[in-house]
């Protein structure tokens, strides 16, 4: 009995010891020298593993950065502070980078936009867009099914009560994952301080009027109202040059459809629903 | 001929996942995308063959002569854990790209009960070294096949409307059950 126990303990103990020694020796011979900066870089990154940099995770980005295959500004989620830290580790200098956040370039909410059909399929904007261009009257409008909300790893997006996504500016890191999934390109990451036009439609004004009360009708009123020539209307759609715009707000006042947003804008509405369709 | 039969038997007739119900955790966990399913399948096949051979040697060289066969399960767990660690080191040294492609899967295989199951079955059936190796290859192919089938179905299902109660794990388990029933149709074809 005792002999059996001793034999069992002895065998397993010696096997374990033998394997342990073997692994230690193997570890010596098979050790892979790794740049110590990789660990430093990985520590400086936010650790969100969001994949917005194009690599599988933060450690993948760190390795690529050290190997020279990724830019110092590659981590969009980390923002300016991370870029400065990475530049310090790599001994490079970078200028100040502006904070960037996601903006929703559509104002066609459930009150102002026309639905030309009732969509009854998979609750995903990409799937809805495949079905004859989606249920919305405007071919460039937000479908509001929340693919961007699903894609956001930081919980910065939610579908508001009026059926459009709302960006939580505090949480948004400007990683751009929402921008990638939106089939319409309605969400775009831009400088946090830049004013923008909340519409993407290039339809003639009359047609825009037929499908949406908040869309840009290309009337040129904003262009005329701007003293600094910051606004140009091209293809029936106004666009604002952030380099020239001083945020005076004259254009937004005169815009008949109120589709120009001057930033910093007040928070619009509290998000209430996530991932469901327009009411 | 016997080896060929053993190969077919272990891959299809006695499929490790769908007939013997071993290794179901990685089967459900890593079968959402075809790419990960193939990586996991190949990594597991490699470890199955290697661990089968190493455990066979430990069994015949140590356990049987010392009449300590009852320690098989414990000893095999030890051997498999060490073997996977060693393989991880070798791959990392020899081929960094392959190491990164395997990623977390290689470490996960340590806890895959299909590997221990294969080692124990091989010693219970008293296979010789060649048979154990073929048994490992066949089992690995069967595991990969199950994963690839599952991943293919789940990729298609991503754009399908599914009743609320069936979404996610419930549907995965239902599909796994149906696949298993299909594979049960092979039973008795190879008498091994």
């Amino acid at each position: 009995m005792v002999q059996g126990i001793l034999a069992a303990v002895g065998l397993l103990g010696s096997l374990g010891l033998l394997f342990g020694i073997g692994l230690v020796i193997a570890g010596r011979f098979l050790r892979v020298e790794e740049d110590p900066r990789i660990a430093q870089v990985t520590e400086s990154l936010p650790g969100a593993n969001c994949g917005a940099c194009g690599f599988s995770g933060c450690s993948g980005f760190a390795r690529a950065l050290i190997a020279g295959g990724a830019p110092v500004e590659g981590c969009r989620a980390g923002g300016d502070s991370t870029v400065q830290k990475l530049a310090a580790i790599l001994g490079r200098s970078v200028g100040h980078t502006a904070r960037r956040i996601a903006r929703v370039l559509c104002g066609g909410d459930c009150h102002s936009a026309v639905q030309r059909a009732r969509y009854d399929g998979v609750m995903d904007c990409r799937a809805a867009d495949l079905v004859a261009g989606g249920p919305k009257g405007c071919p460039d409008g937000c479908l509001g099914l929340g693919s961007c909300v699903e894609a956001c790893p930081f919980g910065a997006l939610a579908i508001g009560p009026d059926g459009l996504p709302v960006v939580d500016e505090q949480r948004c890191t400007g990683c751009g994952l929402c921008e990638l999934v939106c089939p319409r390109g309605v969400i775009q990451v831009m400088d946090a301080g830049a004013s923008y036009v909340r519409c993407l439609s290039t339809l003639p004004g009359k047609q825009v009027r037929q499908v949406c009360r908040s869309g840009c009708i290309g009337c040129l009123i904003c262009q005329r109202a701007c003293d600094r020539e910051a606004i140009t209307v091209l293809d029936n759609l106004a666009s604002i040059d952030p380099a020239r715009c001083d945020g005076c707000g004259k254009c937004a006042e005169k815009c008949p459809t109120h589709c120009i947003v001057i930033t910093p804008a007040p928070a619009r509405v509290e998000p209430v629903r996530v991932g469901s369709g327009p009411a | 001929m016997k080896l060929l039969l053993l190969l077919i038997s272990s891959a299809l007739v006695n499929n490790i996942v769908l007939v013997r119900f071993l290794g179901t955790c990685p089967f459900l966990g890593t079968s959402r995308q075809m790419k990960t399913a193939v990586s996991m399948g190949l990594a597991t096949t490699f470890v199955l063959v290697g661990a089968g051979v190493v455990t066979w040697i430990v069994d015949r060289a140590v356990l049987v002569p010392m009449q300590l066969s009852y320690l098989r399960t414990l000893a095999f767990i030890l051997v498999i854990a060490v073997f996977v660690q060693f393989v991880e080191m070798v791959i990392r040294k020899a081929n960094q790209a392959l190491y990164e492609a395997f990623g977390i899967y290689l470490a996960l295989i340590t806890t895959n009960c299909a590997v221990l199951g294969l080692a124990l079955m091989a010693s219970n059936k008293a296979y010789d070294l060649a048979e154990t190796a073929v048994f490992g290859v066949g089992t690995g192919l069967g595991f990969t096949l199950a994963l690839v089938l599952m991943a293919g179905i789940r990729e298609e299902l991503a754009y399908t409307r599914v009743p609320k109660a069936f979404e996610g794990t419930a549907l995965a388990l239902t599909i796994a059950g149906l696949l298993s029933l299909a594979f049960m149709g092979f039973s008795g074809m190879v008498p091994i």
Side-chain angles (χ1 to χ4, degrees):
Chain A
M1 172 74 183
V2 176
Q3 209 180 0
I5 295 173
L6 282 181
V9 172
L11 175 78
L12 284 178
S14 46
L15 262 184
L17 197 68
L18 198 71
F19 285 147
I21 294 171
L23 274 185
V24 169
I25 295 171
R28 279 276 162 80
F29 282 104
L30 299 172
R31 193 172 55 197
V32 178
E33 293 296 337
E34 203 174 49
D35 196 323
R37 289 180 302 171
I38 292 179
Q40 278 178 292
V41 169
T42 312
E43 256 174 51
S44 309
L45 293 170
N49 292 312
C50 64
C53 53
F55 297 92
S56 55
C58 292
S59 60
F61 173 72
R63 263 191 227 105
L65 185 68
I66 297 297
V72 186
E73 301 86 10
C75 179
R76 297 165 80 177
D80 200 22
S81 62
T82 302
V83 174
Q84 300 294 350
K85 273 190 228 164
L86 297 187
I89 294 169
L90 295 175
R92 290 187 216 164
S93 61
V94 285
H96 177 74
T97 47
R99 182 170 130 79
R100 290 165 69 79
I101 58 172
R103 296 288 189 201
V104 181
L105 303 189
C106 175
D109 56 24
C110 56
H111 307 295
S112 58
V114 172
Q115 297 277 333
R116 64 187 163 100
R118 191 172 146 259
Y119 177 67
D120 195 23
V122 180
M123 283 302 167
D124 183 281
C125 300
R126 291 160 293 184
D129 192 45
L130 289 173
V131 185
K136 212 150 195 170
C138 173
D140 301 300
C142 171
L143 292 164
L145 298 179
S147 292
C148 51
V149 177
E150 298 278 328
C152 180
F154 304 101
L157 277 161
I159 298 294
D162 53 2
L164 287 180
V166 183
V167 180
D168 183 335
E169 296 190 11
Q170 297 301 315
R171 288 188 177 175
C172 181
T173 62
C175 70
L177 289 177
C178 49
E179 193 179 346
L180 290 178
V181 295
C182 180
R184 297 281 174 92
V186 164
I187 293 206
Q188 285 178 17
V189 174
M190 49 178 71
D191 285 350
S195 301
Y196 58 99
V197 179
R198 217 169 60 200
C199 182
L200 285 175
S201 173
T202 50
L203 293 175
K206 196 178 170 195
Q207 286 181 35
V208 172
R209 284 281 195 197
Q210 284 166 356
V211 292
C212 180
R213 287 204 302 268
S214 313
C216 175
I217 52 174
C219 63
L220 301 172
I221 292 177
C222 53
Q223 188 174 325
R224 282 188 218 114
C226 185
D227 306 328
R228 298 171 64 92
E229 294 179 353
I231 301 187
T232 40
V233 177
L234 200 70
D235 287 341
N236 307 307
L237 180 63
S239 65
I240 301 175
D241 181 357
R244 292 188 175 181
C245 174
D246 63 352
C248 67
K250 282 181 196 159
C251 52
E253 270 171 36
K254 298 233 169 118
C255 176
T257 58
H258 308 291
C259 67
I260 294 180
V261 180
I262 301 294
T263 49
R268 284 174 53 226
V269 273
E270 280 299 308
V272 290
R273 290 178 299 129
V274 173
S276 55
Chain B
M1 187 62 195
K2 198 184 168 204
L3 289 181
L4 186 68
L5 275 181
L6 183 62
L7 187 75
I8 295 171
S9 140
S10 50
L12 292 177
V13 183
N14 294 316
N15 187 291
I16 192 92
V17 182
L18 298 171
V19 177
R20 291 190 195 275
F21 309 120
L22 290 172
T24 42
C25 174
F27 170 64
L28 290 173
T30 59
S31 60
R32 282 196 187 83
Q33 288 171 323
M34 191 60 87
K35 205 178 142 203
T36 48
V38 172
S39 297
M40 184 67 176
L42 292 180
T44 309
T45 306
F46 182 65
V47 173
L48 278 170
V49 179
V53 170
V54 176
T55 49
W56 186 90
I57 293 168
V58 170
D59 192 34
R60 294 299 163 90
V62 183
L63 298 177
V64 174
M66 292 179 74
Q67 293 176 325
L68 288 170
S69 299
Y70 63 91
L71 286 175
R72 254 179 207 152
T73 312
L74 271 177
F76 284 3
I77 290 173
L78 190 69
V79 170
I80 290 166
V82 171
F83 178 73
V84 175
Q85 282 288 317
F86 182 70
V87 169
E88 197 172 329
M89 281 185 200
V90 172
I91 293 181
R92 191 169 184 195
K93 180 79 178 174
N95 191 337
Q96 187 77 22
L98 188 67
Y99 176 76
E100 298 206 344
F102 278 156
I104 187 82
Y105 300 122
L106 208 52
L108 273 181
I109 297 167
T110 317
T111 51
N112 186 343
C113 60
V115 183
L116 181 65
L118 170 113
L120 290 174
M121 277 189 278
S123 74
N124 279 348
K125 291 184 177 170
Y127 286 153
D128 62 26
L129 189 58
E131 284 171 336
T132 306
V134 171
F135 186 44
V137 174
T139 306
L141 288 180
F143 183 79
T144 312
L145 178 69
L147 245 71
V148 166
L149 283 176
M150 190 71 175
I153 294 173
R154 285 175 92 170
E155 278 188 354
E156 292 292 320
L157 281 174
Y159 281 107
T160 312
R161 284 168 77 190
V162 177
K164 197 83 189 160
F166 259 109
E167 276 176 6
T169 313
L171 185 68
L173 287 171
T174 311
I175 300 163
L178 290 173
L179 273 177
S180 178
L181 271 178
F183 269 71
M184 292 287 182
F186 290 122
S187 62
M189 279 175 68
V190 180
I192 286 178

